[in-house]
Amino acid sequence: MTRLTGRALRVTVFIGENDTWHHKPLYAEIVHRAHAAGLAGASVFRGIEGFGASSLIHTSRLLSLSEDLPVAIVIVDTEQRVRAFLPQLDELVDEGLVILDDCEVIRYVGRDPGPSAAGPEGKKSL
């Protein structure tokens, strides 16, 4: 079981949803690499409106501009583990914004994939 409480580092990566890495979505590559690196967790959030370095506003409200909406990937782990992962982001992110924030984790408990986590009929308990 993984436990992460106390001081941590949050990295937020802002990219466009159409950004790719070897013909697959860049956000998916970042999440898969974070997982492979053993980081505590990563989530992808799709924005409904935003702009970046290009100064073009991308929004889901206008059909003509509904492509390439902003995407934020948020990863949280210990400072040491996040900083060890940063070179991979340097390799992957050509255009985008990477932000590091100190944060405090109140509670994170990884789920045990073993049979003890299963309830009746093999369903996982919440």
Side-chain angles (χ1 to χ4, degrees):
M1 206 179 292
T2 302
R3 296 185 186 273
L4 175 64
T5 56
R7 292 186 47 82
L9 194 62
R10 174 178 55 203
V11 58
T12 306
V13 182
F14 294 96
I15 58 173
E17 72 175 329
N18 289 341
D19 292 346
T20 60
W21 177 260
H22 294 259
H23 308 293
K24 78 186 242 188
L26 178 56
Y27 60 82
E29 182 67 18
I30 292 170
V31 168
H32 286 96
R33 287 195 187 194
H35 184 260
L39 296 177
S43 297
V44 178
F45 301 93
R46 184 177 188 225
I48 58 172
E49 189 167 37
F51 70 93
S54 71
S55 294
L56 293 174
I57 294 180
H58 301 274
T59 177
S60 61
R61 291 181 292 137
L62 301 172
L63 189 57
S64 64
L65 296 176
S66 63
E67 297 176 9
D68 204 24
L69 292 172
V71 171
I73 304 107
V74 179
I75 302 167
V76 177
D77 206 317
T78 64
E79 180 175 0
Q80 178 182 5
R81 294 174 70 88
V82 167
R83 290 200 182 275
F85 185 68
L86 291 179
Q88 293 199 55
L89 292 179
D90 288 340
E91 175 189 350
L92 294 170
V93 180
D94 287 332
E95 283 189 28
L97 180 65
V98 177
I99 297 174
L100 297 174
D101 296 301
D102 289 321
C103 63
E104 183 176 352
V105 175
I106 302 295
R107 180 172 181 231
Y108 171 83
V109 179
R111 294 185 180 171
D112 182 2
S116 63
E121 300 172 10
K123 294 181 181 175
K124 292 213 177 217
S125 302
L126 297 178

